[in-house]
C-alpha cells in the first residue's frame, strides 16, 4: 500500500474531522442551553393562562365552563379539568358537550405571527380534534389537522331533530383571525363510511342509503360568504352520487335564513328512484348526460331549500 507523505506544516485529515465533529457538538449544546434558558425565563405559564382566560371571557355567546385550570412545567401546558361547552355555541341551547380534560400545550416560539404556537387535543367519546393555534401580535392563526369527528359527537352537536346518520368525518382547516374578527378560513371535510339509515323525513320514508364517500372543500371570508369549491358525494356503487359547487351567504344571527346558491350534477340508482316517485316527477322531461347525471340548482334558504333540475 502506498502511504501518502504529510507535509511538515500539515496535520492528518483525522484531526480536521475531529475538530468539525467537536464544533458541531458545541453548537448543538449551545442551542439546547439557549432553548432551556428561554423556557426558564420566558413567562410561558402566565401567557398561556391569560390567553386562554381572555379567549373564554371574550365570547359570552359561547360559554365554556371547567372545574380547574392548572399549569405544568413538564412539556409546558395548561390543563382544563372537566370542560363543558354550552349548546349556545352551536345553536342548540338544550345540549352541551362534556369533554375529556382539555390540555393546551406550548409548542414553540412563532415568528409569523410573532408570538407562541400552542397545541390542544380535544376529545369527546370517539372524536379527536388536534388544534394548533398560533397567538401573536399581528393576529391569530388556527390550524386543525389529523382530526376525526364521530357521528355520535356530530349528532349531539346538531341536535335530536337532525338527519340520522352514521360514519366518521375527517377534518383539516386553517383559520386566520385579525383582532377578534375572522379574516379567512379554508377547510377540507372527508368521509369514507358515511351511511344514512332508513327513516321518515317530512312525511317521506327514506330507505337505507350507504353513501360511502364524502368530500367538501371550501372557504369562509370575513363577509360571512361560504364558498363551496368542491363537493362530492357517493361513488358509482352508491344509491346517490353528486358533484356541486357554489356559495352560501350565512346569516350568523339565524342560520336557517342563510341563502343558498348551489349548482351541480346528480345521479340516482334505479332502486332509489323506485322509492321516490316525486323525484321521478321532477326529472320528467329532463335529459341526463351520457353518464346518467342530471344538472340541478338549489336556491332559497336553509330552512326551505328550493331544488330544481335543468
Amino acid at each position: 500500500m502506498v502511504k501518502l507523505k504529510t507535509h511538515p506544516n500539515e496535520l492528518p485529515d483525522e484531526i480536521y474531522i475531529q475538530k468539525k465533529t467537536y464544533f458541531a457538538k458545541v453548537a448543538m449544546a449551545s442551542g439546547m442551553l439557549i432553548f432551556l434558558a428561554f423556557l426558564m425565563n420566558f413567562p410561558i405559564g402566565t401567557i398561556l393562562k391569560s390567553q386562554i382566560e381572555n379567549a373564554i371571557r371574550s365570547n359570552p355567546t359561547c360559554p365554556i365552563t371547567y372545574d380547574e385550570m392548572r399549569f405544568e412545567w413538564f412539556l409546558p401546558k395548561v390543563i382544563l379539568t372537566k370542560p363543558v361547552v354550552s349548546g349556545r355555541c352551536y345553536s342548540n341551547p338544550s345540549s352541551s358537550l362534556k369533554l375529556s380534560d382539555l390540555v393546551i400545550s406550548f409548542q414553540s416560539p412563532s415568528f409569523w405571527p410573532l408570538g407562541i404556537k400552542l397545541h390542544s387535543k380535544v376529545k369527546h367519546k370517539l372524536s379527536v380534534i388536534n388544534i394548533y393555534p398560533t397567538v401573536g401580535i399581528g393576529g391569530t392563526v388556527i390550524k386543525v389537522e389529523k382530526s376525526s369527528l364521530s357521528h355520535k359527537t356530530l349528532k349531539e352537536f346538531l341536535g335530536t331533530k337532525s338527519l340520522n346518520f352514521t360514519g366518521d368525518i375527517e377534518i383539516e382547516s386553517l383559520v386566520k383571525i385579525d383582532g377578534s374578527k375572522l379574516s379567512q378560513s379554508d377547510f377540507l371535510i372527508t368521509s369514507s363510511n358515511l351511511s344514512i339509515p332508513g327513516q321518515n323525513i317530512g312525511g317521506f320514508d327514506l330507505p337505507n342509503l350507504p353513501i360511502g364517500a364524502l368530500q367538501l372543500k371550501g372557504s369562509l371570508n370575513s363577509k360571512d360568504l361560504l364558498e363551496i369549491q368542491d363537493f362530492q358525494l357517493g361513488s358509482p356503487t352508491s344509491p346517490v352520487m353528486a358533484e356541486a359547487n357554489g356559495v352560501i351567504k350565512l346569516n350568523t344571527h339565524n342560520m336557517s335564513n342563510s341563502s343558498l346558491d348551489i349548482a351541480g350534477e346528480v345521479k340516482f340508482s334505479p332502486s332509489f328512484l323506485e322509492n321516490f316517485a316525486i323525484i321521478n316527477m321532477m326529472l320528467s322531461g329532463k335529459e341526463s348526460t351520457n353518464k346518467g347525471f342530471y344538472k340541478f340548482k338549489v336556491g332559497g334558504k336553509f330552512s326551505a331549500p328550493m331544488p330544481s333540475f335543468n
Side-chain angles (χ1 to χ4, degrees):
M1 178 183 293
V2 178
K3 187 174 181 180
L4 297 177
K5 294 183 178 180
T6 303
H7 193 276
N9 295 325
E10 291 182 354
L11 296 174
D13 290 341
E14 291 81 0
I15 300 296
Y16 293 101
I17 295 172
Q18 289 175 4
K19 284 188 175 182
K20 290 179 181 178
T21 305
Y22 172 76
F23 286 124
K25 289 179 179 179
V26 170
M28 290 177 63
S30 300
M32 291 181 67
L33 288 173
I34 292 172
F35 183 70
L36 287 173
F38 171 82
L39 288 180
M40 296 300 294
N41 293 282
F42 194 74
I44 298 173
T46 303
I47 292 175
L48 285 179
K49 281 188 175 183
S50 63
Q51 290 287 349
I52 295 166
E53 289 173 347
N54 289 337
I56 293 174
R57 291 197 196 103
S58 64
N59 194 1
T61 59
C62 178
I64 299 175
T65 61
Y66 52 88
D67 284 0
E68 179 189 7
M69 181 188 296
R70 67 176 189 270
F71 177 77
E72 292 185 2
W73 267 106
F74 179 69
L75 300 176
K77 53 182 170 286
V78 172
I79 301 173
L80 275 66
T81 59
K82 298 182 180 179
V84 178
V85 180
S86 169
R88 288 165 56 188
C89 300
Y90 44 90
S91 303
N92 188 11
S94 61
S95 173
S96 62
L97 291 177
K98 297 180 180 180
L99 308 176
S100 302
D101 287 356
L102 181 59
V103 178
I104 304 169
S105 58
F106 172 78
Q107 287 285 107
S108 64
S110 171
F111 299 99
W112 184 88
L114 185 62
I116 57 174
K117 184 179 180 180
L118 309 173
H119 173 226
S120 177
K121 180 175 287 188
V122 181
K123 294 183 179 180
H124 178 263
K125 296 183 178 179
L126 298 177
S127 300
V128 177
I129 303 175
N130 285 293
I131 305 172
Y132 296 87
T134 299
V135 183
I137 298 173
T140 302
V141 176
I142 302 174
K143 187 176 183 180
V144 177
E145 62 181 9
K146 296 180 181 178
S147 299
S148 176
L149 281 173
S150 74
H151 65 277
K152 293 183 178 180
T153 298
L154 286 169
K155 285 170 71 174
E156 287 194 31
F157 185 83
L158 297 172
T160 56
K161 295 183 180 180
S162 65
L163 178 71
N164 190 19
F165 63 93
T166 61
D168 303 306
I169 305 294
E170 307 295 323
I171 302 175
E172 293 181 22
S173 72
L174 182 65
V175 181
K176 299 178 182 178
I177 300 174
D178 292 332
S180 60
K181 190 174 182 180
L182 183 142
S183 172
Q184 179 73 23
S185 174
D186 300 299
F187 60 88
L188 175 64
I189 299 172
T190 59
S191 178
S192 59
N193 59 353
L194 181 64
S195 181
I196 302 174
Q199 56 196 290
N200 186 282
I201 300 179
F204 292 97
D205 289 324
L206 195 68
N208 181 50
L209 300 175
I211 301 296
L214 166 71
Q215 176 170 297
L216 175 60
K217 182 180 180 181
S219 64
L220 175 65
N221 63 23
S222 59
K223 297 181 179 179
D224 297 325
L225 191 66
L226 177 61
E227 181 184 0
I228 306 299
Q229 299 165 353
D230 181 29
F231 172 76
Q232 298 182 33
L233 182 72
S235 64
T237 59
S238 304
V240 179
M241 187 176 176
E243 296 180 358
N245 55 57
V247 295
I248 301 174
K249 178 59 179 176
L250 296 178
N251 184 329
T252 55
H253 300 290
N254 187 350
M255 292 299 291
S256 62
N257 282 333
S258 300
S259 302
L260 304 172
D261 185 10
I262 308 293
E265 296 181 335
V266 62
K267 180 180 180 180
F268 303 102
S269 69
S271 60
F272 181 86
L273 290 174
E274 287 178 6
N275 289 284
F276 289 93
I278 188 171
I279 293 182
N280 271 318
M281 292 174 60
M282 295 176 70
L283 293 176
S284 179
K286 311 296 182 183
E287 291 187 6
S288 64
T289 65
N290 57 359
K291 294 184 178 180
F293 284 86
Y294 290 91
K295 296 184 181 296
F296 72 89
K297 290 184 177 180
V298 180
K301 307 289 184 181
F302 262 147
S303 56
M306 300 174 59
S308 62
F309 292 94
N310 300 341

